Each structure stands twice: as C-alpha cells, then as structure tokens.
Amino acid sequence: MENDFLADSQQSQELFSQEARALPPLAASTEVTSVDKTAASRNVMDVLTEILNEQKKLREEIYKLNCTLEASQAQKCAIVEGSPIEKEYINFLKERFSLNPWISFQEPETQNMLQKLIKKAGWSDSSGRSLSVLATFGSKKFTHYRNQVRSKLMGNKEVDVEGLALKSLHNYLWKCFLPSHVPILDTQRQHLTLMLRSFCGAEKLFRKGGTAGYAFWKEFEKFHKVVINNTRDDKWEKLEEKEERRIKKYVDQL
C-alpha cells in the first residue's frame, strides 16, 4: 500500500514538472521590457534634442559676443589723436587746405589717402567706421583752419594785413602753417591768397571785420566759385593788378 502511494506521488511530481516546462514565457514580462526600451529611447532622444538646442543657442551667443568685441576693438582703435598716422594726416590736411579751404572726402585722391592711412594704422574698416572717423577729424580740422585764417585776415591788431604786399600776405598766411616739407610757392596756393585778399578788399573786411554774424566763409565760397568759373585766360593777372592798385592806394593814404 505504501509503495503504491509513493509511486503515485512521484508520478504526480513528474507530470507537474512536464507541464511547467511546457508552459510558454509570460507575455506580461515581454510587454514590460518593450515599453521600458521605448521609453528609454524617447528619453535619450529628448536629451539629445535638448543638447543640440543648447549648443545652437551657445553658438549664437558666442557669435554675438565676437561681433560686439570686434566692434568694440574697431571703435577703440580707430582714433586719430595719438595714433601713428596723426601727424601725417594733419600734414595732408594742411597742404590740402592751403590749396582749397573746403574738402570732399569722396574725391578719389582723398579716398586713396584715407585708405592708405587706415592700412598704415592697422585699423579694420569692414564697417566703414574708420573712414568715418578720419572724415570727421578732417572736417573739424578744416573748420579750425578756416577760423585761423579768418582771424589772421581780420583779427590781428599787431599786423596791418591790408597794407601787406601780395607776397608778404602769402608768407603771412602759409609760412608757419604749412609742414616744413611743403614748398610755400605753389600756383594754386598763390591764387587762393589772391582771392582772399581780393574778397576782403572788395568787402572792406580789413577795416570793419565784417558785421556781427557775418558768414565770412559762406560769402567767400560764392566769390571763390565766381572767380574759378571765370573762363578768361588773363583773369589771374587782372585780379593781381587790381589788388596791387588797392594795396598801393591804401599805403599811400597812411
């Protein structure tokens, strides 16, 4: 009897083991693993996308900082005062002024000179700011020079400018003004001296100095254009003769 019971029990265990081995893996375990992998993949993609966006923003910020730095450096460097080109530029401006008291920074000759100075100074001019700095500096200098010349013609109580001979007037205006390497004798410069003398004589500015608020250079510019546009071949000789007579008449009356 006991042997039969043991045999039945052993047979039952063997059947249970066979059934257990025959069972397929739990589907639930497979589904959980798939969901976890999908979620993990999405998390990785989200992180990568966020990193790429941050890199893009960082590149944009670096670009802005570089642009600001370059602009700041250009602004800092493009200063004429104290620069290696200051003296050369001032000499250029003085020579040009003594030929024509107005300057156009768009003229090819002037543009070439400015580009040469920018290169010599080592300035960056990608934005055109260096040209603007030079033009502003030059314009201010020309205004200053015009004030100087007007003061010499009408405001010097120690020199009787009206009684100066044309050659003496020329030296008085330009000898100490021009750089040492620039010859004082120049036809165009002498013509400017002659026109200044003629204008002041005709307007009696030597004696009265012009009324308050008198626009000396604005009026002289009109006179200058009339003379320059005159097509007579002997206009300079005639103008010189006229001024010499004026000077002689004034001196004789002293």
Side-chain angles (χ1 to χ4, degrees):
M1 177 75 68
E2 184 178 354
N3 291 334
D4 293 339
F5 175 77
L6 291 173
D8 291 340
S9 177
Q10 185 176 359
Q11 186 177 6
S12 297
Q13 289 178 359
E14 290 175 355
L15 288 172
F16 179 79
S17 298
Q18 291 175 0
E19 290 176 356
R21 285 195 297 269
L23 288 173
L26 291 175
S29 299
T30 304
E31 291 176 1
V32 171
T33 303
S34 177
V35 170
D36 289 344
K37 287 182 178 179
T38 302
S41 298
R42 288 177 179 173
N43 288 337
V44 170
M45 291 302 297
D46 290 342
V47 171
L48 288 175
T49 301
E50 185 176 352
I51 291 173
L52 291 174
N53 289 335
E54 289 297 326
Q55 286 181 336
K56 182 180 179 182
K57 290 180 181 179
L58 184 60
R59 284 195 298 268
E60 291 174 353
E61 291 298 323
I62 292 174
Y63 176 77
K64 290 178 182 178
L65 286 173
N66 286 336
C67 290
T68 303
L69 180 61
E70 289 176 3
S72 176
Q73 288 176 340
Q75 183 175 5
K76 182 179 179 181
C77 292
I79 300 175
V80 179
E81 293 86 349
S83 71
I85 64 167
E86 181 181 11
K87 184 177 180 180
E88 183 178 357
Y89 188 33
I90 288 176
N91 287 344
F92 168 77
L93 292 172
K94 284 187 172 183
E95 183 175 1
R96 288 296 301 273
F97 179 85
S98 67
L99 302 175
N100 187 338
W102 301 278
I103 187 170
S104 170
F105 292 97
Q106 303 304 319
E107 293 177 354
E109 182 183 354
T110 305
Q111 281 283 314
N112 290 338
M113 183 60 181
L114 297 187
Q115 292 293 348
K116 175 185 173 183
L117 292 171
I118 289 171
K119 184 177 180 180
K120 184 176 289 189
W123 296 343
S124 171
D125 198 44
S126 56
S127 63
R129 188 183 183 282
S130 297
L131 277 174
S132 177
V133 168
L134 288 174
T136 300
F137 181 88
S139 295
K140 289 180 179 179
K141 282 295 181 183
F142 261 58
T143 299
H144 176 64
Y145 298 154
R146 285 194 292 268
N147 290 337
Q148 280 187 329
V149 169
R150 176 177 176 172
S151 179
K152 277 188 171 184
L153 288 170
M154 301 186 301
N156 192 340
K157 296 181 180 180
E158 297 179 359
V159 178
D160 186 1
V161 181
E162 189 173 4
L164 292 176
L166 288 174
K167 183 178 179 180
S168 298
L169 177 62
H170 187 76
N171 289 335
Y172 168 70
L173 290 176
W174 310 119
K175 189 172 183 178
C176 295
F177 177 82
L178 289 171
S180 58
H181 69 276
V182 178
I184 192 170
L185 294 179
D186 178 273
T187 301
Q188 189 175 346
R189 188 172 297 117
Q190 289 171 314
H191 288 167
L192 177 58
T193 299
L194 181 58
M195 284 187 283
L196 285 167
R197 176 59 178 81
S198 179
F199 174 72
C200 289
E203 298 295 322
K204 297 181 172 56
L205 297 178
F206 290 121
R207 302 173 196 179
K208 64 181 182 181
T211 58
Y214 181 76
F216 178 92
W217 288 104
K218 183 178 180 180
E219 296 301 320
F220 177 71
E221 187 175 14
K222 296 176 185 177
F223 176 83
H224 183 275
K225 287 180 179 179
V226 170
V227 176
I228 295 298
N229 293 333
N230 189 324
T231 57
R232 287 186 56 169
D233 294 335
D234 61 345
K235 65 179 179 182
W236 299 114
E237 290 80 2
K238 293 295 182 182
L239 192 60
E240 183 175 349
E241 291 173 2
K242 185 176 182 179
E243 290 313 304
E244 286 178 343
R245 288 196 299 270
R246 274 188 180 148
I247 295 168
K248 185 177 184 304
K249 181 179 179 180
Y250 172 78
V251 172
D252 290 344
Q253 291 176 348
L254 294 177

